[in-house]
């Protein structure tokens, strides 16, 4: 029976972890924007473990205990109903105390788990930002911050231990009242010769059997309470509805040409309006440069095209089809994204380049790497394409990471491309290589570039100048210089200086 319950509980844990991972992977950005990674890690690991305990041994013990309770109670009543009733009179009080304890203990255990999630988050963020922590000499401050949170957890855990220390012995005390009743009342019956001493001993033995399931109940109620609060936290994730999801009548998007049209698109993040009334149209294969200061809405526009978020008003069309009517997977599989801080995964260079393409051959991977100007540094690496890169690509330079991201996009072969052409932290030679890689990537694709340099805007078919969530001007480099004061200002102040008029 132990093995069966253990297998059953491991199955529950297995299914729950799969369900959580699936849900976390599919939930939209708006969920991840507001939830901390450590908190989610804590739910996926510790909370599942707590439920696993409950669905395994705890349930079996509970059933065993309940069976024993019922059978023993019947036997006692049959032997001597008066003595039996006296003993069983303590049961309602016992059940009341057990439930009272469970109700008080559950919210406390929820707080303990939440605090544990805060600790997990603190550790996870420290590991992720270890360079920054050391660079800004914040080791002591971080240790101090962690100690504070750890202290809170310690206090909560102590309170939970105290609650158990008071309540569990109390349950035994109530159960033992039955024994006292038997000895007092039964003893007087023996003296009067109404029952034999054998019956009294049998009664006390049976009562001993009753105390065992009660003791189990006392141990299991906290576990039930903890698992209850764990389940709350898990189903909180599982019940979250992704804001961006396939509509019921969504159709797969056919292979697209790459025409993109924004019709009166507005977007609000909470109460803050980030974009208002954006209108523009792009022909297949055209390059659009987005220009504007930080917070002008450039990044939001490019996040709406692959439906990372949905517009609050208006609609976005790809090849004349509202992207909300398209199956998400068919839309995103035709959009490539290369941002400045490209994320790479702990694994080999080959796995990172082939990330979006399941059955890529070595020849295809190499072709993409060559076009991305990455083949040279890859073959110079210790194990070539099988070189493992640290988590988030920390073992590579910024320029190398960016070229791997370009190779990944080339292999993915999207029809629509989203680029950030900032190469602030690379030397002139690497910058030249990245430029070449960009040119190879852009050919024949509809491209949206967040522009940071002159060559980008000059070569663009159209430039959108963004200001406070609106398009303040659009057109080619030449026309904008004449017509837009803001463009001339950005052009003279930022672009010219950065490029040294190349």
């Amino acid at each position: 029976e132990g093995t069966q319950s253990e297998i059953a509980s491991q199955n529950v844990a297995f299914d729950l972890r799969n369900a959580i991972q699936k849900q976390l992977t599919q939930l939209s950005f708006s969920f991840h924007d507001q939830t901390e990674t450590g908190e989610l890690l804590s739910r996926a690991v510790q909370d599942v473990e707590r439920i696993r305990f409950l669905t395994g041994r705890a349930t079996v013990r509970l059933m065993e205990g309940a069976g024993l309770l019922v059978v023993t109670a019947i036997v006692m009543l049959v032997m001597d109903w008066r003595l039996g009733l006296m003993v069983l009179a303590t049961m309602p009080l016992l059940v009341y105390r057990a439930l009272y304890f469970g109700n008080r203990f559950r919210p406390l255990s929820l707080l303990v788990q939440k605090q544990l999630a805060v600790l997990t988050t603190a550790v996870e963020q420290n590991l992720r930002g270890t360079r920054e922590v050391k660079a800004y000499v914040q080791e002591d401050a971080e240790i101090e911050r962690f100690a504070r949170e750890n202290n809170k957890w310690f206090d909560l855990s102590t309170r939970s231990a105290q609650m158990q220390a008071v309540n569990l012995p109390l349950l035994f005390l109530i159960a033992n009242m039955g024994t006292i009743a038997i000895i007092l009342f039964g003893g007087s019956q023996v003296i009067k010769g109404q029952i034999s001493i054998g019956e009294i001993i049998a009664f006390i033995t049976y009562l001993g059997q009753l105390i065992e399931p009660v003791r189990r109940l006392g141990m299991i109620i906290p576990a039930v309470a903890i698992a209850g609060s764990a389940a709350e936290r898990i189903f909180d994730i599982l019940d979250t509805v992704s804001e961006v999801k396939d509509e019921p009548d969504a159709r797969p998007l056919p292979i697209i040409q790459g025409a993109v049209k924004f019709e009166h698109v507005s977007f609000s993040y909470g109460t803050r309006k980030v974009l208002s009334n954006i209108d523009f149209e792009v022909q297949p294969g055209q390059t659009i440069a987005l220009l504007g200061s930080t917070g002008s809405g450039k990044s939001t526009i490019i996040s709406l095209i692959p439906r990372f978020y949905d517009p609050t008003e208006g609609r976005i069309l790809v090849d004349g089809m509202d992207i909300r009517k398209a199956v998400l997977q068919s839309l995103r599989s035709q959009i490539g994204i290369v941002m400045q801080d490209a994320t790479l995964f702990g694994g080999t260079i080959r796995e990172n380049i082939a990330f979006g393409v399941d059955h890529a051959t070595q020849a295809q991977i190499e072709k993409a790497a060559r076009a991305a100007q990455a083949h040279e540094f890859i073959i110079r690496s210790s194990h070539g394409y099988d070189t493992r890169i640290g988590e988030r690509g920390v073992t590579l330079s910024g320029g190398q990471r960016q070229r791997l991201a370009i190779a990944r996009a080339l292999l993915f072969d999207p029809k629509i491309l989203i680029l950030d052409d900032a190469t602030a932290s690379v030397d002139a030679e690497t910058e030249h290589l990245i430029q070449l890689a960009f040119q190879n990537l852009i050919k024949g694709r509809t491209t949206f570039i967040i522009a940071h340099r002159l060559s980008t805007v000059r070569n663009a078919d159209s430039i959108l100048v963004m200001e406070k969530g609106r398009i303040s001007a659009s057109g080619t480099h030449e026309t904008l210089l004449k017509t837009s004061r803001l463009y001339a200002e950005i052009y003279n102040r930022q672009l010219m200086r950065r490029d040294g008029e190349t």
Side-chain angles (χ1 to χ4, degrees):
E1 151 271 309
T3 328
Q4 286 306 312
S5 71
E6 196 57 28
I7 290 171
S9 75
Q10 291 290 3
N11 267 325
V12 168
F14 171 80
D15 290 341
L16 269 180
R17 283 200 187 102
N18 276 344
I20 292 171
Q21 164 65 5
K22 182 179 176 192
Q23 177 76 335
L24 289 179
T25 312
Q26 290 177 343
L27 276 170
S28 50
F29 276 83
S30 47
F31 173 81
H32 289 287
D33 291 342
Q34 291 156 12
T35 321
E36 293 185 325
T37 315
E39 162 88 9
L40 297 176
L41 281 174
S42 162
R43 293 188 195 194
V45 180
Q46 285 136 341
D47 290 356
V48 170
E49 199 46 40
R50 293 191 164 105
I51 289 180
R52 188 188 71 73
F53 169 74
L54 184 73
T55 51
R57 282 159 294 193
T59 312
V60 176
R61 284 185 192 156
L62 211 53
M63 283 156 62
E64 264 177 6
L68 198 58
L69 207 69
V70 171
V71 173
T72 312
I74 292 169
V75 170
M76 286 163 85
L77 287 170
V78 168
M79 273 177 67
D80 188 309
W81 66 270
R82 284 171 308 172
L83 267 181
L85 279 177
M86 285 187 74
V87 172
L88 294 175
T90 58
M91 286 298 138
L93 180 61
L94 198 59
V95 170
Y96 164 73
R97 268 314 300 185
L99 291 174
Y100 172 80
F101 169 51
N103 283 336
R104 295 284 298 278
F105 190 71
R106 183 174 168 184
L108 184 61
S109 71
L110 186 60
L111 289 175
V112 171
Q113 280 155 271
K114 279 188 172 155
Q115 191 55 28
L116 201 54
V118 171
L119 287 183
T120 316
T121 300
V123 172
E124 185 260 342
Q125 288 182 347
N126 258 323
L127 290 173
R128 212 166 31 165
T130 179
R131 289 168 173 232
E132 286 77 4
V133 171
K134 290 192 185 320
Y136 288 92
V137 204
Q138 287 300 301
E139 292 95 336
D140 292 346
E142 284 300 316
I143 291 165
E144 168 71 22
R145 193 165 71 93
F146 184 81
R148 273 203 308 276
E149 296 300 348
N150 204 2
N151 238 340
K152 280 188 202 164
W153 182 76
F154 179 76
D155 291 342
L156 287 168
S157 301
T158 315
R159 268 170 55 198
S160 117
Q162 280 170 341
M163 201 181 270
Q164 290 186 62
V166 171
N167 277 283
L168 298 186
L170 189 61
L171 292 178
F172 291 126
L173 179 67
I174 295 169
N176 287 331
M177 284 174 172
T179 317
I180 298 166
I182 290 178
I183 293 168
L184 288 175
F185 179 71
S188 67
Q189 297 293 84
V190 171
I191 293 163
K192 289 178 190 164
Q194 287 182 348
I195 55 172
S196 69
I197 199 150
E199 277 184 288
I200 291 278
I201 290 168
F203 247 91
I204 290 174
T205 314
Y206 278 130
L207 191 61
Q209 274 187 315
L210 269 188
I211 287 175
E212 176 54 26
V214 167
R215 194 176 70 83
R216 281 189 189 164
L217 204 67
M219 283 169 61
I220 285 165
I221 279 175
V224 172
I226 290 173
S229 57
E232 252 178 70
R233 287 156 53 81
I234 287 173
F235 284 102
D236 196 29
I237 295 177
L238 295 182
D239 295 342
T240 304
V241 177
S242 184
E243 288 184 15
V244 175
K245 58 180 189 299
D246 282 337
E247 307 257 325
D249 57 346
R251 308 193 309 275
L253 194 63
I255 300 290
I256 58 175
Q257 299 291 304
V260 178
K261 187 177 184 189
F262 273 56
E263 284 183 354
H264 309 297
V265 170
S266 296
F267 178 73
S268 301
Y269 201 84
T271 52
R272 198 163 50 94
K273 198 155 195 184
V274 191
L275 289 180
S276 43
N277 206 17
I278 300 289
D279 267 307
F280 67 85
E281 198 170 342
V282 186
Q283 300 309 319
Q286 282 191 330
T287 298
I288 298 292
L290 296 163
L291 205 62
S293 57
T294 310
S296 59
K298 307 186 299 282
S299 313
T300 311
I301 286 188
I302 60 173
S303 298
L304 291 174
I305 299 168
R307 275 191 83 195
F308 290 156
Y309 303 92
D310 276 335
T312 331
E313 294 165 36
R315 57 187 198 146
I316 299 165
L317 308 174
V318 168
D319 286 7
M321 180 179 178
D322 186 339
I323 56 174
R324 271 184 264 208
K325 296 275 179 279
V327 174
L328 261 178
Q329 188 265 337
S330 68
L331 170 72
R332 288 182 185 163
S333 63
Q334 302 191 62
I335 298 176
I337 299 178
V338 181
M339 298 314 276
Q340 189 187 359
D341 50 350
T343 298
L344 299 174
F345 297 91
T348 63
I349 287 179
R350 175 187 284 108
E351 286 165 353
N352 270 286
I353 294 178
F355 186 67
V357 184
D358 291 341
H359 307 292
T361 63
Q362 180 62 22
Q364 288 170 318
I365 291 170
E366 269 187 37
K367 186 180 171 200
R370 281 180 198 279
Q373 312 298 313
H375 182 67
E376 297 300 318
F377 86 77
I378 295 173
I379 50 176
R380 283 203 303 273
S381 305
S382 52
H383 300 291
Y385 281 83
D386 290 315
T387 307
R388 295 192 73 78
I389 49 185
E391 193 182 359
R392 291 172 31 249
V394 286
T395 49
L396 300 170
S397 72
Q400 289 173 331
R401 280 207 300 275
Q402 186 136 15
R403 279 175 284 161
L404 284 187
I406 294 171
R408 181 198 287 171
L410 276 160
L411 187 63
F412 195 53
D413 194 22
K415 283 285 184 286
I416 295 175
L417 195 57
I418 292 168
L419 297 178
D420 183 345
D421 86 330
T423 43
S425 54
V426 298
D427 56 70
E429 189 187 342
T430 311
E431 185 159 344
H432 173 65
L433 290 173
I434 291 174
Q435 282 306 96
L436 281 175
F438 269 159
Q439 282 160 21
N440 290 335
L441 183 56
I442 288 170
K443 272 184 205 130
R445 306 178 207 277
T446 306
T447 309
F448 293 84
I449 306 188
I450 293 183
H452 294 273
R453 69 181 92 219
L454 197 52
S455 51
T456 308
V457 281
R458 277 199 176 149
N459 298 333
D461 296 297
S462 178
I463 302 160
L464 301 181
V465 184
M466 300 292 300
E467 188 180 15
K468 294 181 185 152
R470 298 174 180 278
I471 298 175
S472 80
S474 65
T476 60
H477 172 63
E478 276 72 26
T479 50
L480 284 174
L481 269 182
K482 297 191 191 92
T483 57
S484 167
R485 195 175 50 85
L486 180 65
Y487 179 74
E489 207 175 284
I490 295 175
Y491 170 74
N492 291 322
R493 197 177 61 234
Q494 295 177 357
L495 304 171
M496 294 273 283
R497 193 182 63 231
R498 196 164 298 166
D499 276 76
E501 199 40 86
T502 48

